[in-house]
Amino acid sequence: MARVYDIAVAALAIGVERKWLDNLTAQHSVPGTEHVARGVARRLSRRALLTAAIVRDLNRALGVPVGRGVEVAISVLGGEPSPDGASGAQAGAGAVVSTPRVVLPIADSLALAVDVERLEREIERRLLEAMETVVPRRRGRPPRKERRGTR
């Protein structure tokens, strides 16, 4: 079973606002995103975090629209993930692709190189920090405060 992360932890780990990540996963089909039903928080696998990090970098550095960034990130990481969270020839805990650096040809004289291994290491490091600092938000109405002297 692949490990999944809360939106707040994932957002902190990849360095984006929680709302940006929530909108990304709600409006685009990001592989590795678990959404059960309305009112239940989304959970993201490492593959979804890696996809979101690539989309973030493409959007911030090159101004690529988020929708197109998702398509490019999926192309870089390969097809649909296997049930254990791995894709390609390499399987195992947290493996996403079989090569450390992926080059995606854009045009005859242009290619996009993504250092997937480095990105994975950075996300893993930040996940460890984020899991210790983020407290899950309480759902529902806040508890009622009792006034002093009324009971």
Side-chain angles (χ1 to χ4, degrees), residues 4-147:
V4 290
Y5 302 95
D6 177 64
I7 286 278
V9 170
L12 189 60
I14 64 172
V16 296
E17 291 182 23
R18 182 186 178 284
K19 188 68 175 172
W20 184 89
L21 186 57
D22 198 34
N23 285 340
L24 173 73
T25 57
Q27 296 172 6
H28 303 282
S29 181
V30 177
T33 303
E34 291 182 13
H35 179 65
V36 180
R38 188 177 201 152
V40 178
R42 283 182 189 82
R43 297 181 309 183
L44 307 174
S45 68
R46 285 192 183 166
R47 180 184 175 86
L49 269 66
L50 197 55
T51 302
I54 293 171
V55 171
R56 173 207 61 203
D57 290 346
L58 289 171
N59 182 259
R60 286 182 182 169
L62 299 175
V64 174
V66 172
R68 182 67 181 128
V70 171
E71 294 171 11
V72 171
I74 291 171
S75 297
V76 165
L77 297 175
E80 289 299 312
S82 64
D84 66 352
S87 90
Q90 185 180 19
V96 176
V97 294
S98 59
T99 57
R101 188 176 194 98
V102 178
V103 178
L104 181 69
I106 305 291
D108 290 339
S109 62
L110 184 65
L112 174 68
V114 179
D115 191 346
V116 178
E117 192 174 271
R118 180 177 173 193
L119 195 54
E120 280 183 314
R121 281 194 314 267
E122 180 65 20
I123 289 172
E124 179 66 28
R125 183 187 64 75
R126 294 194 62 175
L127 271 172
L128 293 173
E129 294 171 5
M131 289 190 310
E132 293 180 5
T133 59
V134 174
V135 177
R137 292 189 336 184
R138 290 183 57 138
R139 306 232 356 124
R141 186 179 299 247
R144 184 175 155 198
K145 294 182 182 177
E146 292 188 27
R147 291 189 211 171

